[in-house]
């Protein structure tokens, strides 16, 4: 018999929780949790899932695709619009785009403003 667990939160380490939450809020449209502050900020996701951002002193961004500083986390998002349109919007919000793109035309790997890699693909 398998253990029944429900995922309720995913938390990313970062140097500035409110700034990183603002990036993901603009990108996803999720609401900022009302108790968010400079040490921990959260976005309320679908089905009760919280995306959290916690302050870490001396934060070191991932160096993906190499593993000198491991990627720490990889989030995937589905988008309704054309990938080029979604990518352009995310880059305008402060995302980065690594040269290494392992998925061809199926998905794009981007990085958030503090270096966490994430993918976007079509729904």
């Amino acid at each position: 018999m398998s253990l029944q667990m429900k995922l309720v939160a995913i938390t990313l380490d970062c140097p500035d929780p409110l700034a990183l939450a603002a990036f993901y809020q603009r990108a996803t449209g999720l609401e900022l949790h009302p108790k968010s502050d400079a040490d921990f900020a959260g976005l309320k996701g679908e089905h009760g899932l919280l995306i959290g951002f916690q302050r870490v002193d001396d934060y070191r961004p991932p160096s993906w695709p190499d593993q000198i500083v491991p990627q720490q986390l990889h989030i995937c998002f589905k988008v309704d619009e054309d990938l080029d349109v979604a990518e352009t919007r995310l880059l305008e919000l402060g995302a980065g785009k690594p040269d290494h793109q392992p998925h061809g035309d199926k998905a794009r790997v981007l990085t958030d403003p503090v270096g966490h890699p994430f993918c976007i693909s079509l729904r």
Side-chain angles (χ1 to χ4, degrees), residues 63-102:
S63 56
W64 188 88
D66 70 51
Q67 293 297 307
I68 294 169
V69 178
Q71 69 180 346
Q72 304 166 13
L73 180 75
H74 186 103
I75 302 173
C76 295
F77 295 95
K78 297 280 186 179
V79 296
D80 291 327
E81 56 205 326
D82 177 88
L83 283 178
D84 291 332
V85 172
E87 176 186 312
T88 298
R89 171 138 167 70
L90 289 162
L91 292 172
E92 289 170 354
L93 292 175
K97 183 178 180 185
D99 291 336
H100 181 63
Q101 293 293 317

Side-chain angles (χ1 to χ4, degrees), residues 8-28:
V8 295
I10 296 171
T11 301
L12 288 75
D13 290 348
C14 63
D16 184 341
L18 291 171
L20 192 55
F23 167 79
Y24 280 102
Q25 183 179 27
R26 290 189 306 270
T28 64

Side-chain angles (χ1 to χ4, degrees), residues 29-40:
L30 298 175
E31 286 184 48
L32 186 66
H33 191 281
K35 293 185 179 180
S36 295
D37 61 31
D39 289 319
F40 187 90

